[in-house]
Amino acid sequence: MTEPIARPLRSERLPLQISALSVILGGEAAAVPIIDDISLTVGVGEIVGLVGESGSGKSVTCLAALGLLGPDWSLRGDIRIGSAHLDQRSDPRSLTKVRGRDAAMIFQDASASLNPIQKIGKQLTDTVARLQGISRVKARTIALDLLHRVEMPEPEERFHSYPFQLSGGQNQRVMIALALAGQPLLLLADEPTTALDVTVQSQILDLISKLRDDTGMGVVFVTHDLGVVSEVCDRVAVMYSGRIVEAGTVAQIMSAPCHPYTKGLIDSMPTLGGHIPNGIKGQVPSPDKRPVGCAFAPRCFKASTQCSQERPGETTDNHGHSVSCFHSLTEAEGISDVENGGASVAEFPVTEGEPLLSLKSAACDYKTRNGVFRAVAKVSLDLREGESLAVIGESGSGKSTIGKLILGIEPTSEGKAFFGGQQVPLLGTQAHKIFARSVQLVPQNPYLSLDPRAPIGKQIEEPLVIHRIGTARERQAKRNELLEAVGLARAHADRYPHEISGGQCQRAVIARAISLGPKLLICDEATASLDVSVQARIIELLRNLQRQFKLSMVFITHDLRLVRSLCNRVAVMRSGELVELNETELLFAAPRHPYTRELLASIPDVVSESSGHRLSSQ
Amino acid sequence: MPRADIAEHFEPHSKLRAMLAAITASPGLVKVALLWLLLIVFIAITARWIMPYDYQATSLLTRLLPPGATGLDGNFHLLGTDHLGRDVLSRLFTSIQLTMSVAVFGTLFGAVVGSSIGFVAARFRGWVDDIIMVLVDFQASMPFVIIALSVIAVTGTGNLLLFVLLVGFQGWERYARISRGLTLSAVNHGYAASVRLLGGGTMRVYLLHILPNIMAALIVQVSINFPETVILETSMSFLGVGIQPPNTSLGNLLSYGRDYLLNAWWIAGIPGMTIFLTTLSMSIVGDWLRDVLDPTTSRR
Amino acid sequence: MTRIVIRKVLRAALTLFLVVTFVFFVLRITGDPVSAMMPDDTDPAIMEQLREQWGLNRPLSVQYVEYWRNIAKGDFGNAYRDGRPALEIVMERVPATLKLALTGFTFILLTGFPLGILAAVNRGSGIDRAIMTLSVTGFSLPNFFLGILLILLLSVNLRLLPAYGSEHWYNLIMPVITLGTAGGAVIARYVRSSMLEVLNAPYIRAARARGMTEREIIWSVALPNAAIPAITVIGFMVGALISGSIVTETVFAWPGIGRLLIDAVSSRELAVVQTIVMMTAASMVLANLTVDILYLIIDPRQRFGSGSGE
């Protein structure tokens, strides 16, 4: 049994102290340690970032701290939240007293994390009344006050709204208000801003920092985005395959990483400075196939035989910077090439003359239940052969619709779209079939765009079959060529999409897209569903293909950081309007439209934007 | 990357082998159910040759014999005889044959028609889709038996082919809904959209890509629909508006036996039990199929 | 909200229109009502006379309009055998069927919902498995066989209840079990899966993270959310009750509409058949409309046309 839980004095207790925690999934026979012996401390008023690729165990750590994992899970080691103590013998009933009162949690998908059929005011009031043990009348006042504190616009009105009537950002504010209802010592934030637009993300990050200052609560901030980490966190723990491989202050980790994995992650990050992201080969092993020694060894550029045989222990320097690696990087090695940035795209020659693609005041309307919705309003732009253009915008900006106009998926409601001097034919027509040879799409989710029941190789060959190009043997040769061009092995041809990783799938999609030798490639958030280390490698691939095949590209994305090293020009979209179109360098150096400036300011960058320098080591 | 290649073994893609592997790994109950269905199918196919007596031969000397009795004429009746002295086992076999044939042909007919209608709706959209969906909603809001009975009222009983088609039609609207829904979602934002963008034509998209992908969902629907078809057919035969003598279905047997419940339970009890065990086995196998074919278990 | 209600009502009206049209065409196209109703050896002259009398020689479109006019007047035709209005014959049988169906409906709700919730809350346990086994057995058991089993057990062997009759309350017991078992089994399964879906939703985990106890979560968060999809099934249940009553009434010699329908089909009393079909359709449409409106009342997402954003 646990000790009785009393409300601690703020200053006395650490909000979170995890020691030697292992979290195991499954019964005795098939037990797999998802989290493998980690320790983590969060001080009063401290924001600790927990970073790593998907599958590293960041979220599981948070859920374990609140005992929210299902009955199939068990844990070893112990967790202290304030004065509450949880271990494997903890009674679930005592956990309910900890949850909400000592520690609260917010999630990535705020809109799905609120009861969909209850007004947010009622959810807040009920939670305040239950957690603080006061009457509903009093609780209501506090609930409304909480909405003010999380800076909800028009809180009195929103009090009577249902979650589906609010935006994602507003719902995340409600989640935060609910988390504050029990005045917790600790806030566990599991990717709270990942699903949000950058401008909204930056507001939520500011809010969390401010609330931390006001209340002195400790925060665990789970994210995969190192930019976000440098923005809000005081300390960082880098997780890889269920272990913490490196921990220290943000300055230590970002400017002098000791673990090759940390450096790999930093190098993978695209920056506003135009650093060419440099990915990490391979992928995170699944927990049941974790190597004996260092889990990162198979992907590590410094790996030795020792790494694959023994598990490295943790060493801590006298500044509190700890690392688990046999071959810690020296300060010189640790310097990332992030700062070297500024790679120009001038290496891609752009031809003069007639534009390959041009939109002439093209507009696109969608019919909705409430009338006509203008997704794109009279946009004009040109693209020359060999050029690559970024279309930037937040959700609802119409950036994807631009892609659909260019591809002939949607007809223009006004104006016209031209490709190679001819009007873009509409999908499904005979003319479109010919057009399809020249323009292809790389969509966001590779798993969705591949047929789950056909082998990869067959799908890469399919365009050749459709267009009756070559004999079966020639097609096979072409297929092998394409596989090689996108960095896949021949053996992948026989695999099915669900058998390979997301990055490999996206490579297959790219191979299929270039199989007909197109002139123009539309990449619609082509890397948005991938981990940063994989994203970096796909970007690299696209850059190579661009050069090799003299491809023109339209790169549709929400992430301004991606485009600097990839695109000649940038078009910024907002609510269907083209607000700014300029050469990449000029746009970054001197943004003219206030919205472009807001976007640039909102983006969390691994390089601190105020000074223009990397954070200096303490 | 080569490491991953070695580490992950290639899964067997031979459909038959995969199916056998799945059966071997299935729970005991499923195996029993499969065995029962196998027996029923065997009887249905071989009924003509394995039944001991003519199922129509009456004999007043051997009326209402209990199971395992030997009649005055020296004939052994494993499952007894009915009120006209006919051998229950022979009648059971021939009834299984008819009931199963009606169920198989009817279900296949309904599945093919229903899913084709769904495809058509998804392909043409617009007013075609609207009309089909109105019909689907209409069908979903009318109990099928009522519709079947009103058709029978006009055409009269005794037309076997019409009856099979009618019974098979049950559930067409669910096939239509499934194939339409899945097709639309594939066309709108999935692999089908990609194939279209590559220049693939309608036939290629629908037959080579969408059909194989929604096959699993349709098979699951068949497994749900099949026992329903059996129950519909036997119910109607039981009520005297389905299969007509001299043909006989399990439902007919039950309906004759109803009058002799007091002194000859086996006439109704044995065919009743046969129907029950068959539909139960199908439901068990259907549930299992759903888990095997559709691990996401997200269905509407 | 009113706009949605109007749309639903229009949809219901459309369905009713389709039913009437369907019945009309089934009766006129698939066969000749006169030859369907008269014995085969009837004098052709008499048949011709009957066709004349019933207006069957006129163009279909004229007949169709006439058909509607009669229905509007409440004239569903007369029974061939005794010449009484079909509507009257059917209405006599309504109370018996209503009594059976309403009791059956209560039985379904009282078994289906609690069992489904119990199974979901105890997912994977022995209780869950027992309930699910019961459910699979329940809807695999054809109700004509279930009825016969009940008679064998309770009337023949145990002599507890009379096999036939409809005067006393205890006469209802066997028919209601026969009628409701399949429905209860389906509902239990449906409620379980909709409850499980809700219990896996992110907002349940979030509620748990705020320190709500399992009991609070089940009663105040999960159940209200799971009840919404479960209501749809109630609409289906009306249809299942109607089709189930046909068999049940035949097995237990219950003097209701179901048995009347079978008799009418066998003796080809088309007027009676069409009256029953239309009444069934009307009650189904009404039930579905009620469910739709109930939906609007309890689900705010439906009420506000889901998604004011975007």
Side-chain angles (χ1 to χ4, degrees):
Chain A
M1 280 291 121
T2 51
E3 57 191 358
I5 294 148
R7 310 253 350 129
L9 288 169
R10 300 255 115 154
S11 51
E12 278 180 358
R13 302 279 191 170
L14 286 172
L16 178 69
Q17 200 174 1
I18 293 177
S19 344
L21 175 74
S22 291
V23 180
I24 295 116
L25 175 62
E28 302 245 322
V32 176
I34 303 296
I35 301 293
D36 194 359
D37 188 17
I38 64 166
S39 299
L40 181 72
T41 304
V42 177
V44 172
E46 192 177 39
I47 301 185
V48 176
L50 211 50
V51 293
E53 292 170 281
S54 42
S56 57
K58 315 178 293 269
S59 298
V60 174
T61 306
C62 289
L63 293 172
L66 282 184
L68 285 174
L69 297 166
D72 300 343
W73 300 72
S74 56
L75 55 92
R76 257 183 259 130
D78 74 14
I79 299 166
R80 280 169 200 275
I81 295 174
S83 58
H85 177 204
L86 324 174
D87 58 24
Q88 63 264 50
R89 286 158 297 151
S90 291
D91 173 16
R93 219 162 295 168
S94 68
L95 287 175
T96 58
K97 295 209 182 95
V98 175
R99 296 177 196 148
R101 292 182 176 86
D102 296 292
M105 186 160 178
I106 57 177
F107 300 91
Q108 173 172 349
D109 190 353
S111 305
S113 299
L114 292 165
N115 187 349
I117 57 169
Q118 220 174 49
K119 290 178 180 167
I120 60 161
K122 179 158 170 41
Q123 300 191 37
L124 265 170
T125 309
D126 287 355
T127 307
V128 170
R130 187 170 47 79
L131 291 176
Q132 302 190 6
I134 54 175
S135 75
R136 246 161 237 268
V137 184
K138 276 191 205 155
R140 194 178 181 284
T141 327
I142 298 177
L144 197 56
D145 182 51
L146 281 173
L147 275 191
H148 279 281
R149 275 179 70 197
V150 297
E151 292 157 18
M152 175 71 86
E154 298 164 348
E156 278 83 7
E157 277 173 44
R158 295 285 175 265
F159 201 75
H160 303 287
S161 300
Y162 290 97
F164 67 88
Q165 295 172 309
L166 304 182
S167 68
Q170 289 170 337
N171 277 329
Q172 194 56 278
R173 289 179 197 275
V174 175
M175 280 302 288
I176 294 171
L178 281 167
L180 295 176
Q183 299 160 311
L185 291 171
L186 174 71
L187 176 69
L188 298 159
D190 188 359
E191 306 246 14
T193 58
T194 306
L196 304 175
D197 278 328
V198 271
T199 48
V200 182
Q201 159 166 292
S202 116
Q203 292 162 13
I204 298 284
L205 293 181
D206 288 348
L207 176 66
I208 291 176
S209 300
K210 183 167 163 284
L211 291 171
R212 182 268 314 260
D213 295 344
D214 294 351
T215 62
M217 65 184 175
V219 180
V220 175
F221 199 101
V222 172
T223 179
H224 63 277
D225 190 334
L226 283 170
V228 170
V229 166
S230 6
E231 201 101 314
V232 293
C233 295
D234 304 308
R235 286 196 302 123
V236 200
V238 181
M239 285 193 79
Y240 184 78
S241 191
R243 295 169 190 166
I244 290 179
V245 294
E246 184 167 6
T249 63
V250 169
Q252 285 165 347
I253 300 289
M254 300 305 289
S255 59
C258 291
H259 200 286
Y261 178 63
T262 312
K263 182 175 186 303
L265 274 187
I266 295 172
D267 290 347
S268 300
M269 290 300 293
T271 65
L272 284 179
H275 151 71
I276 301 172
N278 195 356
I280 310 171
K281 64 180 182 179
Q283 61 206 65
V284 183
S286 69
D288 54 329
K289 288 178 185 152
R290 205 175 276 155
V292 189
C294 174
F296 186 60
R299 300 173 72 185
C300 183
F301 66 96
K302 293 203 81 169
S304 62
T305 38
Q306 188 188 14
C307 297
S308 51
Q309 286 159 359
E310 283 174 57
R311 187 171 159 185
E314 188 182 85
T315 52
T316 309
D317 72 5
N318 38 19
H319 301 293
H321 184 175
S322 66
V323 64
S324 306
C325 183
F326 293 119
H327 310 286
S328 288
L329 304 176
T330 62
E331 204 162 327
E333 281 177 316
I335 290 179
S336 132
D337 51 353
V338 163
E339 210 184 5
N340 311 343
S344 82
V345 282
E347 49 189 296
F348 307 123
V350 177
T351 48
E352 296 294 318
E354 281 301 298
L356 182 67
L357 171 81
S358 79
L359 296 183
K360 294 210 190 314
S361 39
C364 183
D365 298 333
Y366 288 122
K367 278 196 203 99
T368 67
R369 212 185 295 173
N370 308 322
V372 177
F373 167 71
R374 176 145 281 200
V376 169
K378 295 199 176 178
V379 167
S380 297
L381 49 83
D382 287 339
L383 181 77
R384 291 178 200 289
E385 210 169 325
E387 189 181 24
S388 57
L389 170 77
V391 179
I392 290 282
E394 297 183 290
S395 50
S397 63
K399 59 184 190 302
S400 288
T401 310
I402 294 255
K404 288 180 181 171
L405 290 177
I406 299 172
L407 285 158
I409 297 174
E410 293 288 342
T412 49
S413 311
E414 266 178 63
K416 290 204 166 85
F418 292 97
F419 178 82
Q422 304 213 310
Q423 200 177 335
V424 171
L426 202 57
L427 181 63
T429 58
Q430 199 56 37
H432 191 277
K433 191 170 172 182
I434 299 158
F435 168 79
R437 292 183 176 207
S438 310
V439 184
Q440 270 306 318
L441 170 73
V442 180
Q444 172 170 0
N445 191 328
Y447 286 114
L448 282 182
S449 66
L450 288 171
D451 185 340
R453 282 173 195 265
I456 297 294
K458 221 180 135 195
Q459 300 197 56
I460 294 176
E461 271 180 63
E462 188 164 17
L464 303 172
V465 178
I466 292 171
H467 292 270
R468 302 216 171 87
I469 296 170
T471 61
R473 183 180 295 240
E474 284 164 2
R475 286 199 286 262
Q476 204 171 356
K478 175 79 177 171
R479 178 193 79 193
N480 291 338
E481 222 171 86
L482 287 165
L483 281 169
E484 197 176 326
V486 298
L488 289 175
R490 280 191 191 185
H492 284 112
D494 299 325
R495 298 295 193 90
Y496 287 76
H498 66 91
E499 296 174 330
I500 62 177
S501 69
Q504 289 167 338
C505 252
Q506 194 59 297
R507 285 169 193 271
V509 170
I510 293 170
R512 184 176 66 177
I514 61 172
S515 62
L516 294 169
K519 289 195 178 114
L520 173 62
L521 212 55
I522 315 285
C523 301
D524 188 357
E525 298 274 17
T527 60
S529 65
L530 305 171
D531 265 321
V532 275
S533 68
V534 181
Q535 161 174 291
R537 294 182 33 100
I538 297 291
I539 295 286
E540 191 188 326
L541 171 67
L542 287 172
R543 279 174 59 92
N544 288 340
L545 295 174
Q546 207 175 358
R547 200 168 352 188
Q548 196 178 340
F549 298 106
K550 298 203 168 47
L551 277 172
S552 307
M553 269 205 251
V554 174
F555 204 85
I556 300 167
T557 177
H558 67 280
D559 193 344
L560 256 175
R561 294 174 294 187
L562 281 177
V563 306
R564 190 149 183 192
S565 64
L566 203 64
C567 299
N568 309 84
R569 284 191 302 153
V570 181
V572 181
M573 298 281 300
R574 187 195 195 181
S575 334
E577 312 254 359
L578 177 63
V579 297
E580 186 162 356
L581 173 64
N582 208 341
E583 303 281 322
T584 309
E585 294 305 318
L586 290 173
L587 184 122
F588 276 80
R592 272 175 298 180
H593 196 279
Y595 178 67
T596 314
R597 279 195 288 260
E598 192 192 342
L599 265 186
L600 280 167
S602 302
I603 285 174
D605 204 3
V606 287
V607 180
S608 72
E609 71 265 34
S610 52
S611 61
H613 296 296
R614 287 164 64 220
L615 297 155
S616 55
S617 183
Q618 288 173 342
Chain B
M1 232 168 299
R3 269 194 98 266
D5 284 351
I6 300 159
E8 286 170 33
H9 65 283
F10 285 82
E11 284 174 33
H13 286 300
S14 150
K15 299 244 162 74
L16 193 68
R17 219 189 315 161
M19 204 67 212
L20 282 176
I23 289 175
T24 323
S26 67
L29 190 64
V30 174
K31 287 195 185 106
V32 173
L34 278 169
L35 223 61
W36 173 263
L37 289 181
L38 215 62
L39 177 72
I40 290 292
V41 169
F42 174 77
I43 292 173
I45 293 170
T46 60
R48 215 165 282 283
W49 300 287
I50 60 170
M51 56 187 180
Y53 305 105
D54 178 4
Y55 73 95
Q56 295 186 58
T58 56
S59 154
L60 293 179
L61 291 175
T62 56
R63 294 176 63 221
L64 300 176
L65 286 181
T70 306
L72 292 175
D73 50 6
N75 288 339
F76 176 72
H77 299 281
L78 184 64
L79 296 181
T81 60
D82 68 2
H83 57 293
L84 295 176
R86 294 174 293 193
D87 180 48
V88 171
L89 184 69
S90 304
R91 294 183 63 71
L92 185 70
F93 281 3
T94 183
S95 299
I96 287 175
Q97 184 173 47
L98 190 61
T99 293
M100 291 303 284
S101 318
V102 172
V104 168
F105 289 117
T107 306
L108 286 182
F109 172 73
V112 170
V113 172
S115 11
S116 311
I117 290 175
F119 274 132
V120 168
R123 169 68 182 81
F124 294 101
R125 305 300 319 267
W127 61 270
V128 178
D129 189 21
D130 288 343
I131 288 181
I132 289 176
M133 286 320 285
V134 165
L135 288 177
V136 163
D137 284 349
F138 163 63
Q139 177 67 79
S141 64
M142 269 301 276
F144 191 82
V145 191
I146 303 281
I147 289 182
L149 283 175
S150 57
V151 172
I152 295 281
V154 177
T155 60
T157 52
N159 186 337
L160 188 60
L161 179 67
L162 181 90
F163 181 66
V164 174
L165 298 186
L166 197 59
V167 166
F169 240 86
Q170 165 174 259
W172 69 270
E173 83 278 5
R174 276 175 285 163
Y175 292 105
R177 271 217 179 111
I178 291 171
S179 62
R180 174 179 174 275
L182 292 177
T183 305
L184 282 184
S185 71
V187 166
N188 284 342
H189 31 232
Y191 49 92
S194 304
V195 177
R196 259 157 62 82
L197 267 180
L198 291 161
T202 305
M203 282 309 186
R204 167 170 291 274
V205 172
Y206 282 77
L207 294 182
L208 293 184
H209 291 281
I210 295 180
L211 190 60
N213 274 287
I214 70 171
M215 211 53 192
L218 291 177
I219 289 174
V220 167
Q221 184 55 41
V222 166
S223 77
I224 295 170
N225 195 222
F226 200 88
E228 288 176 354
T229 311
V230 170
I231 291 185
L232 179 67
E233 180 270 314
T234 48
S235 299
M236 289 184 71
S237 299
F238 173 79
L239 295 170
V241 291
I243 303 288
Q244 299 296 318
N247 289 328
T248 170
S249 110
L250 291 169
N252 298 96
L253 296 190
L254 220 68
S255 127
Y256 298 133
R258 198 156 62 99
D259 302 331
Y260 298 90
L261 281 183
L262 278 175
N263 43 12
W265 59 269
W266 57 90
I267 307 178
I270 288 170
M273 215 54 204
T274 311
I275 301 174
F276 170 50
L277 289 179
T278 308
T279 51
L280 182 64
S281 302
M282 283 167 185
S283 300
I284 290 169
V285 172
D287 274 1
W288 168 75
L289 262 183
R290 179 159 52 225
D291 292 345
V292 172
L293 292 175
D294 183 21
T296 54
T297 64
S298 63
R299 68 201 173 83
R300 309 215 103 205
Chain C
M1 165 130 180
T2 34
R3 231 170 66 202
I4 308 175
V5 172
I6 291 171
R7 225 181 29 229
K8 302 270 182 205
V9 171
L10 283 179
R11 184 119 213 179
L14 179 66
T15 311
L16 274 183
F17 167 80
L18 279 173
V19 172
V20 174
T21 311
F22 169 80
V23 171
F24 173 80
F25 279 102
V26 165
L27 258 47
R28 299 299 135 98
I29 302 288
T30 49
D32 175 10
V34 173
S35 55
M37 282 163 73
M38 304 304 286
D40 287 343
D41 52 356
T42 316
D43 180 3
I46 296 177
M47 301 248 277
E48 197 51 41
Q49 195 191 334
L50 274 174
R51 285 196 189 100
E52 188 73 24
Q53 190 183 329
W54 292 345
L56 296 175
N57 292 339
R58 288 178 290 165
L60 265 185
S61 55
V62 177
Q63 289 187 44
Y64 184 59
V65 173
E66 183 68 16
Y67 192 74
W68 268 108
R69 200 169 292 156
N70 286 337
I71 286 174
K73 282 188 293 190
D75 177 6
F76 288 83
N78 296 333
Y80 159 71
R81 205 172 306 161
D82 51 10
R84 286 171 61 206
L87 190 62
E88 195 183 306
I89 298 177
V90 175
M91 290 313 278
E92 281 173 8
R93 302 289 197 102
V94 167
T97 297
L98 220 54
K99 190 160 93 179
L100 183 61
L102 286 179
T103 327
F105 190 65
T106 319
F107 175 83
I108 289 175
L109 292 187
L110 289 184
T111 50
F113 272 86
L115 288 177
I117 293 167
L118 203 63
V121 171
N122 297 294
R123 184 187 191 172
S125 71
I127 299 177
D128 183 19
R129 272 195 300 276
I131 292 174
M132 280 303 100
T133 312
L134 205 67
S135 162
V136 174
T137 315
F139 67 73
S140 303
L141 199 61
N143 47 9
F144 52 90
F145 183 50
L146 176 60
I148 287 175
L149 280 181
L150 287 174
I151 292 177
L152 265 177
L153 184 72
L154 298 178
S155 304
V156 177
N157 281 341
L158 301 177
R159 298 178 185 281
L160 284 174
L161 292 168
Y164 307 106
S166 58
E167 296 82 43
H168 306 285
W169 67 267
Y170 53 78
N171 287 130
L172 264 171
I173 296 176
M174 291 196 294
V176 162
I177 296 175
T178 307
L179 183 61
T181 299
V186 171
I187 295 253
R189 218 175 142 88
Y190 197 90
V191 167
R192 174 181 180 269
S193 75
S194 114
M195 191 77 183
L196 283 181
E197 197 166 305
V198 168
L199 284 173
N200 279 327
Y203 56 85
I204 295 293
R205 188 179 62 179
R208 220 170 262 149
R210 284 198 293 277
M212 281 179 107
T213 60
E214 286 306 303
R215 180 191 286 261
E216 284 171 327
I217 287 173
I218 286 165
W219 291 103
S220 66
V221 187
L223 255 182
N225 275 289
I228 293 172
I231 284 176
T232 341
V233 197
I234 295 177
F236 291 126
M237 275 306 109
V238 176
L241 283 169
I242 292 170
S243 26
S245 68
I246 297 171
V247 170
T248 308
E249 290 179 7
T250 309
V251 172
F252 293 99
W254 192 268
I257 294 179
R259 205 155 63 104
L260 178 66
L261 178 61
I262 289 301
D263 291 344
V265 168
S266 309
S267 58
R268 300 205 174 175
E269 283 285 10
L270 296 185
V272 175
V273 173
Q274 70 167 342
T275 311
I276 294 178
V277 171
M278 283 180 204
M279 277 181 53
T280 311
S283 45
M284 285 292 303
V285 167
L286 212 64
N288 283 330
L289 191 64
T290 315
V291 166
D292 283 348
I293 289 173
L294 220 60
Y295 237 90
L296 286 177
I297 292 169
I298 65 166
D299 189 348
R301 287 162 294 188
Q302 301 275 330
R303 196 160 56 230
F304 292 98
S306 159
S308 57
E310 294 303 294

